[in-house]
Amino acid sequence: MRIYQPREELRPYVRYYWVLKGDEPFGILTFPIGCPQIIFHKKTPLYIPELDKSQSQFTISGQVNFPAHIQSDGSLEMIVAVFYPHTIGMFIDTLPSAFYNLEISGYDIENRQVNDVVQKIFDCENNKDCIDILEGFLLSKIRPSLNINRIGMSVNRLLRVPSTSINALADKACLSKRQYERVFRETVGMNPKEYARVVQFQKALWMMQRGESNYAGIAAECGYSDQSHFIRNFKELSGYTPEALIKHCAPYSDLFTNPA
């Protein structure tokens, strides 16, 4: 896998890009990462058993609340743009809530400008040049709004303190709780309480990734009410208890790790 950092103007909106090529079949367990992605498959798309479908050549991957065992048949070349939790809607003119718990074909949003860019990417042989084409499009779509800024501040608050209450987040955003929940869901793609669960889970993964094994300490640091709450939530989002996951694979937090 190769990681590419976005140009400076896009860094408030795009976390990073990654490119992966492979010629051996594989299967891998993935978790809710809290960040939507746009995926370009130049060869065979990945298969997702939990959804009983393969990704499209051009896929928009939304916020999810379940683990998935993705599979490759060994003919793989993919380019992925990973966005911040609250920014993808600005670039595709579609509310992220429309693809909650889904892997949708980007062609289904019927955006001619997007489709033209996608075709240029598939016609381009050099993957770094493909990313440059994508970035040219993304730069043309930057339109910060009050709601994007509000929700961005909320997401950052949750990353720092996952136990922050919805009422406190709504007050900080100068919105009623009902307004805040609607704006958050439309901007991020899931409701704030559910997204906070993903953040707690990802922070727990990050602590385990760094070698922490005191589950009571992890529960307290991540804002769980107790150790049992932590283990129950962890299993719902990963399919494993923390102890069982460590035996299955090395814990890794996509949300709290910034690949260089």
Side-chain angles (χ1 to χ4, degrees):
M1 178 189 295
R2 184 166 184 181
I3 303 293
Y4 295 90
Q5 297 299 325
R7 65 183 72 182
E8 186 174 355
E9 303 94 315
L10 286 168
R11 288 176 189 169
Y13 314 105
V14 181
R15 290 187 64 201
Y16 55 90
Y17 312 96
W18 55 272
V19 175
L20 181 63
K21 299 180 181 180
D23 55 11
E24 294 289 336
F26 70 83
I28 188 170
L29 175 65
T30 63
F31 311 123
I33 70 170
C35 294
Q37 303 170 82
I38 293 180
I39 304 168
F40 305 91
H41 285 288
K42 290 193 166 185
K43 294 185 178 178
T44 306
L46 298 170
Y47 176 69
I48 305 172
E50 285 76 9
L51 298 176
D52 191 25
K53 65 181 293 187
S54 293
Q55 293 178 330
S56 168
Q57 296 290 143
F58 166 38
T59 289
I60 299 175
S61 180
Q63 299 283 5
V64 300
N65 63 4
F66 60 88
H69 297 77
I70 61 175
Q71 299 172 5
S72 169
D73 69 359
S75 176
L76 182 68
E77 183 175 356
M78 59 192 296
I79 302 169
V80 180
V82 182
F83 294 83
Y84 284 99
H86 59 292
T87 59
I88 193 172
M90 178 171 62
F91 298 107
I92 59 175
D93 302 322
T94 300
L95 294 177
S97 53
F99 42 91
Y100 166 65
N101 269 350
L102 295 173
E103 302 268 341
I104 69 167
S105 170
Y107 296 115
D108 289 345
I109 65 175
E110 298 182 349
N111 184 313
R112 182 172 180 177
Q113 185 183 12
V114 172
N115 291 348
D116 288 345
V117 172
V118 171
Q119 190 57 53
K120 291 178 182 178
I121 289 172
F122 283 132
D123 289 341
C124 178
E125 294 185 3
N126 182 282
N127 287 326
K128 178 59 173 67
D129 291 342
C130 291
I131 291 173
D132 289 342
I133 292 169
L134 176 60
E135 288 207 310
F137 165 74
L138 295 177
L139 283 167
S140 74
K141 298 291 289 184
I142 294 177
R143 301 287 189 277
S145 68
L146 177 59
N147 282 341
I148 287 176
N149 292 334
R150 279 171 166 167
I151 300 306
M153 291 174 61
S154 288
V155 169
N156 288 334
R157 175 65 176 170
L158 281 173
L159 293 176
R160 294 193 302 272
V161 187
S163 60
T164 304
S165 72
I166 306 305
N167 285 332
L169 293 172
D171 287 345
K172 190 69 175 178
C174 299
L175 294 169
S176 70
K177 183 180 178 182
R178 184 174 180 180
Q179 288 174 315
Y180 175 77
E181 288 176 331
R182 175 183 58 79
V183 172
F184 191 101
R185 183 176 61 254
E186 291 177 348
T187 307
V188 174
M190 59 171 45
N191 68 54
K193 183 176 181 180
E194 188 172 23
Y195 188 75
R197 290 180 67 236
V198 173
V199 171
Q200 289 176 302
F201 165 70
Q202 282 286 331
K203 187 168 184 178
L205 275 177
W206 179 73
M207 294 181 69
M208 292 164 61
Q209 174 184 332
R210 292 164 59 90
E212 180 61 61
S213 58
N214 182 335
Y215 296 148
I218 293 174
E221 181 67 22
C222 297
Y224 293 103
S225 56
D226 53 39
Q227 184 172 328
S228 296
H229 181 206
F230 159 55
I231 293 174
R232 183 170 63 254
N233 184 74
F234 194 96
K235 187 172 183 180
E236 288 173 354
L237 294 180
S238 73
Y240 292 85
T241 64
E243 186 174 353
L245 180 71
I246 289 174
K247 295 177 181 178
H248 176 75
C249 63
Y252 179 83
S253 169
D254 290 277
L255 186 59
F256 283 86
T257 303
N258 186 22

